Amino acid sequence: RRRDVVANRARIIEAARTVFARQGLAADMRAIADEAGVGIGTLYRHFPARDHLVREITGLSLSQLVAARLDPARSAADALQQFFIAALTELAKSRAAIDLLAGSAASDASLRQCVDHLSSIGKNAIDRSRTDQSLDPDLAPADVAYLFLALARIVQLLPRPTPRQVEHYVELALRGLRRRAATTVTTGP
């Protein structure tokens, strides 16, 4: 009996990953139960509220984001770009994870944890840039966090985001963070 309960939970989680990845947070709970081969009552015994199942599935993706770090072998700007591309490409694989990240309220604890981590990534990049001068000196750690969330929203709006599309939008956005060469202003004739 216990093995059946554990097996049902595992099937529900796997089915939810599949269905949420395809359909995002709008996925129907009955579709998840059907995919898992269980009744809707069994699904709700394991996950009494839809939010519990959503958090179970997307929490894995968001925890991967929180664990990510900048590549120490690259310049601050290049490492930040690589991080954004890798993290957003991974998140784009799960429509529900990107929906959750792009649509969470500012008071949501998971979002707050992501913003804090992304701000620490930003601080790390800014500290590194003091040496390599690759980022704009006016950049603040929170700018990095909020730019990442803005890009997550863009990825959310794409019907079927490809890694190349993610890379394109990251490149566009990060141009504004890179240090620009000093320009010489000439006056008069």
Side-chain angles (χ1 to χ4, degrees):
R1 178 88 179 124
R2 177 74 182 139
R3 269 188 260 156
D4 288 345
V5 170
V6 171
N8 283 344
R9 181 179 172 81
R11 281 198 314 272
I12 291 167
I13 290 170
E14 192 54 41
R17 277 194 188 108
T18 301
V19 174
F20 281 145
R22 275 193 313 254
Q23 299 175 16
L25 293 178
D28 182 63
M29 297 299 275
R30 288 193 184 283
I32 294 168
D34 290 346
E35 179 85 16
V38 300
I40 193 73
T42 300
L43 185 149
Y44 281 114
R45 270 193 299 286
H46 288 278
F47 299 97
R50 175 189 191 82
D51 187 54
H52 294 136
L53 183 56
V54 169
R55 298 285 175 186
E56 175 75 25
I57 303 309
T58 59
L60 299 174
S61 298
L62 297 182
S63 67
Q64 289 169 346
L65 170 62
V66 169
R69 301 281 180 253
L70 295 180
D71 181 348
R74 295 178 177 256
S75 72
D78 290 344
L80 199 56
Q81 182 170 332
Q82 177 191 36
F83 166 76
F84 271 42
I85 290 169
L88 288 165
T89 299
E90 187 60 34
L91 284 169
K93 292 177 184 176
S94 172
R95 204 73 211 166
I98 206 77
D99 285 353
L100 184 66
L101 187 60
S104 290
S107 61
D108 186 303
S110 296
L111 179 63
R112 188 77 249 147
Q113 182 184 14
C114 284
V115 169
D116 290 347
H117 179 67
L118 291 166
S119 293
S120 74
I121 294 272
K123 181 179 180 335
N124 180 292
I126 291 165
D127 290 347
R128 230 198 269 183
S129 183
R130 287 191 184 103
T131 303
D132 69 26
Q133 306 288 305
S134 61
L135 293 172
D136 189 294
D138 293 335
L139 185 64
D143 296 338
V144 171
Y146 294 121
L147 182 59
F148 185 92
L149 294 175
L151 286 165
R153 177 68 173 133
I154 290 169
V155 171
Q156 181 191 35
L157 293 171
L158 298 171
R160 287 186 179 82
T162 66
R164 180 64 199 124
Q165 287 174 311
V166 170
E167 187 175 333
H168 171 74
Y169 286 108
V170 168
E171 287 174 4
L172 284 176
L174 291 186
R175 283 182 200 160
L177 301 185
R178 291 184 182 271
R179 182 181 290 269
R180 289 169 274 307
T183 56
T184 307
V185 178
T186 55
T187 57

